[in-house]
Amino acid sequence: MSFPSDGPDSEISETPYSYSTTSDTAQLRESFGHLNPGETSGVVHSIAGRIMLLRRQGKIAFAELRDSKGHIQLFASADLTEEFERFASLSLGTWVGATGEIMTTKRGELSLRISSWVVLAYPVRGFGDKWHGVTDPDTRYRQRYVDLWANPDARSVFIKRSRIISEIRHYLESNDFIEVETPILHGVLGGALARPFTTHHNALDIDLYLRIAPELYLKRLVVGGFERVFEIGRVFRNEGISPRHNPEFTMLELYKAYADYNDMMMLTEELISHLAVISNGSTTITYQGRDINLAAPWRRSTMEELVSDQLGREVSLEMELVELLSIAEENDISVAPSWGKGKVLLEIYEKTTEHTIWDPVFVYDYPKEVSPLSRDHRSKPDVVERFEVIIAGRELANAFSELTDPEEQRRRFQHQVEQGKAGDDEAMEMDEDYIRALEYGLPATGGLGIGIDRLVMLLTDQSQIREVVAFPTMRPEQDR
């Protein structure tokens, strides 16, 4: 083989356009792990990956080659390996393709004895001691391409994430759901209570929002006759960054005709307990040093019951507003003048109770005031058929018996418009087309949204959302 001699730029330009492998490191270990120390296989393979370690002992050299499936030792010798001296002086981080016989050393280390090899990519920027692990969070999240090599656990989290999402698709499709795609650019703000990102479409000369939820479009499809639909995709909310918030995140939303929020409870606990078994081998997982039992059925409690238990006194929507305001004040909870009883109760719950819940709980029967897309409770006033799933003190899922009455939906949207005029920058807008869709008839429907990133955090025992998002939103480097 020949090598360029005109410097790094020339070397990079001379690397091959492709390289054919016959195996990966995991396959080699599975096929040849039985070899005894000092045994040769007589079988030749070609593999590719990055050189992680390299040491020379006279006329032989040992390197660790790592690919996406694992690692294996490369064994080079002056008498057999082409351009041995060049190989023995490679920089750490160099990508190589190598061909040779599979063997084990006298110490029993499975190895590929190199006969020929080629450089696939030269590292212009050296990794240096970063091979030994990058611990600075800013470096890890900003330079994920380094983190994935320096911290093998990071790679395993993203592999697990991929498998979890794949299994969600498989589970839903096996239950007759079909996957659909809905717009990311929305002309009307709606589908959830959140502050949006805005952009401008030059050709149409209109402002658009990056979607905060796909909900209203998915329910349009149910109106159109798709009885079971789901979408897994990015949503965008112009909010702060925290251990559980990233401005763009991945959401599963699904809708099932002829169902209500009770059906959604059963689907949720069955899906997540199934994912726990698939990803961890058991419905009991360990999260941040504490066990969580995800086996169905999960506890079911109303918001009023949970707050009352936490505060040691009865708290309910039947109380006068002044009483709820007094409870908020006693617990140092700020409220806005425009809030009604439902919004005050929700704020009390979120500030005093939600973070105390560890094992999974369906917190159900939410105030109507804070649930503009949920159907009225069939027997309780001022309440809707809505639940959230709380696990380890965090919201993981949100679900409703969906509102199907177009006139009631118009009234709810109008209330949101008034809230927006009063200063609520998370309020929805009036969506006339969605109301028109409801006028064509939406049957009883159950809807469910699950935050994929938080679910992956739970199932991989990660406390920070940026550990499960490959490229989280970061402050520009010059502003640090």
Side-chain angles (χ1 to χ4, degrees):
M1 65 185 295
S2 62
F3 294 92
S5 57
D6 296 329
D9 291 340
S10 176
E11 290 178 342
I12 293 171
S13 69
E14 293 295 328
T15 56
Y17 282 77
S18 65
Y19 183 80
S20 296
T21 62
T22 60
S23 188
D24 59 47
T25 59
Q27 292 169 338
L28 292 181
R29 290 192 176 278
E30 181 178 358
S31 299
F32 300 99
H34 63 278
L35 294 179
N36 296 315
E39 185 176 357
T40 58
S41 68
V43 179
V44 173
H45 275 287
S46 296
I47 59 175
R50 195 190 283 272
I51 297 295
M52 303 295 290
L53 298 171
L54 181 62
R55 68 185 190 277
R56 178 174 182 171
Q57 297 178 359
K59 295 186 178 297
I60 60 174
F62 301 92
E64 178 188 297
L65 179 140
R66 187 183 299 174
D67 63 11
S68 63
K69 300 298 182 62
H71 64 90
I72 196 170
Q73 180 169 270
L74 300 182
F75 177 87
S77 59
D79 63 335
L80 179 65
T81 304
E82 294 181 0
E83 299 290 346
F84 170 78
E85 292 295 334
R86 183 64 178 255
F87 179 85
S89 62
L90 286 175
S91 299
L92 296 184
T94 302
W95 291 82
V96 302
T99 298
E101 181 183 8
I102 305 302
M103 55 163 284
T104 55
T105 64
K106 292 180 179 180
R107 294 186 177 182
E109 182 69 29
L110 186 65
S111 307
L112 182 144
R113 183 167 183 172
I114 302 173
S115 55
S116 61
W117 62 280
V118 63
V119 172
L120 303 177
Y122 291 93
V124 177
R125 184 185 294 268
F127 280 77
D129 60 4
K130 293 179 181 179
W131 287 125
H132 304 296
V134 178
T135 58
D136 175 58
D138 187 83
T139 301
R140 291 188 57 235
Y141 305 141
R142 194 180 300 280
Q143 299 181 37
R144 186 69 82 182
Y145 38 84
V146 174
D147 179 43
L148 293 172
W149 289 105
N151 297 302
D153 287 346
R155 182 191 296 266
S156 68
V157 167
F158 291 110
I159 291 173
K160 204 168 193 178
R161 177 191 174 106
S162 176
R163 291 173 178 167
I164 288 169
I165 294 174
S166 177
E167 188 58 34
I168 290 171
R169 286 191 167 96
H170 174 74
Y171 182 92
L172 293 176
E173 289 169 351
S174 68
N175 283 277
D176 297 326
F177 284 83
I178 64 166
E179 184 171 10
V180 297
E181 294 176 306
T182 62
I184 290 177
L185 293 175
H186 288 190
V188 178
L189 179 61
L193 301 176
R195 182 187 301 172
F197 288 95
T198 59
T199 187
H200 187 78
H201 190 284
N202 291 331
L204 296 178
D205 192 24
I206 57 172
D207 289 334
L208 296 169
Y209 303 108
L210 294 180
R211 69 178 177 191
I212 57 176
E215 176 167 343
L216 301 186
Y217 282 98
L218 289 170
K219 286 190 285 190
R220 285 174 169 93
L221 292 176
V222 179
V223 171
F226 288 90
E227 297 175 355
R228 300 186 183 195
V229 295
F230 76 96
E231 182 170 9
I232 298 174
R234 282 293 220 229
V235 296
F236 307 85
R237 299 184 183 180
N238 199 348
E239 57 191 17
I241 295 173
S242 78
R244 58 180 177 174
H245 294 96
N246 193 63
E248 58 175 310
F249 58 98
T250 304
M251 179 75 74
L252 161 69
E253 284 211 18
L254 63 86
Y255 293 86
K256 180 180 180 182
Y258 323 126
D260 64 9
Y261 76 151
N262 295 301
D263 298 299
M264 293 299 101
M265 289 186 193
M266 289 187 287
L267 189 156
T268 302
E269 63 191 4
E270 290 171 2
L271 171 60
I272 293 179
S273 61
H274 170 74
L275 294 173
V277 172
I278 293 296
S279 60
N280 291 282
S282 172
T283 55
T284 298
I285 65 171
T286 299
Y287 184 73
Q288 302 300 291
R290 294 179 61 183
D291 286 347
I292 298 177
N293 183 7
L294 296 175
W298 295 350
R299 178 185 172 191
R300 289 154 166 77
S301 294
T302 68
M303 179 184 293
E304 294 171 326
E305 290 170 346
L306 290 165
V307 174
S308 297
D309 289 344
Q310 179 66 21
L311 298 183
R313 58 181 294 185
E314 183 178 358
V315 181
S316 76
L317 288 173
E318 296 180 1
M319 304 173 72
E320 296 295 330
L321 176 59
V322 66
E323 295 180 86
L324 288 170
L325 290 173
S326 176
I327 293 172
E329 184 178 5
E330 291 170 8
N331 289 275
D332 297 321
I333 298 170
S334 299
V335 300
S338 61
W339 290 0
K341 292 193 292 184
K343 177 61 173 173
V344 175
L345 174 61
L346 176 65
E347 197 73 9
I348 293 171
Y349 158 74
E350 290 183 341
K351 294 297 191 295
T352 67
T353 305
E354 184 179 78
H355 66 276
T356 69
I357 299 171
W358 189 255
D359 284 316
V361 175
F362 289 113
V363 182
Y364 69 98
D365 291 357
Y366 270 59
K368 181 176 180 177
E369 179 185 355
V370 296
S371 309
L373 300 171
S374 307
R375 191 167 185 174
D376 285 347
H377 197 283
R378 62 198 77 185
S379 62
K380 297 179 182 179
D382 300 321
V383 172
V384 294
E385 294 193 348
R386 172 187 173 189
F387 70 78
E388 289 186 353
V389 172
I390 308 299
I391 305 177
R394 294 172 176 169
E395 175 199 344
L396 188 67
N398 187 25
F400 318 145
S401 295
E402 300 296 332
L403 179 58
T404 61
D405 182 341
E407 290 306 313
E408 174 62 16
Q409 185 64 79
R410 181 181 294 278
R411 287 191 288 271
R412 303 274 191 92
F413 279 152
Q414 185 58 46
H415 176 71
Q416 287 292 300
V417 171
E418 293 167 0
Q419 292 295 106
K421 291 178 179 178
D424 186 350
D425 57 7
E426 295 186 349
M428 298 184 193
E429 297 178 344
M430 181 67 70
D431 191 332
E432 293 288 354
D433 180 70
Y434 179 67
I435 293 172
R436 179 169 58 193
L438 293 183
E439 289 173 344
Y440 281 95
L442 174 67
T445 298
L448 168 67
I450 296 177
I452 295 296
D453 308 286
R454 291 186 184 178
L455 176 61
V456 175
M457 288 171 64
L458 181 71
L459 296 179
T460 60
D461 192 16
Q462 301 297 323
S463 63
Q464 297 276 342
I465 194 170
R466 290 187 291 182
E467 296 288 354
V468 302
V469 176
F471 299 100
T473 303
M474 303 287 290
R475 188 183 302 275
E477 288 190 79
Q478 62 268 25
D479 293 344
R480 284 187 293 163

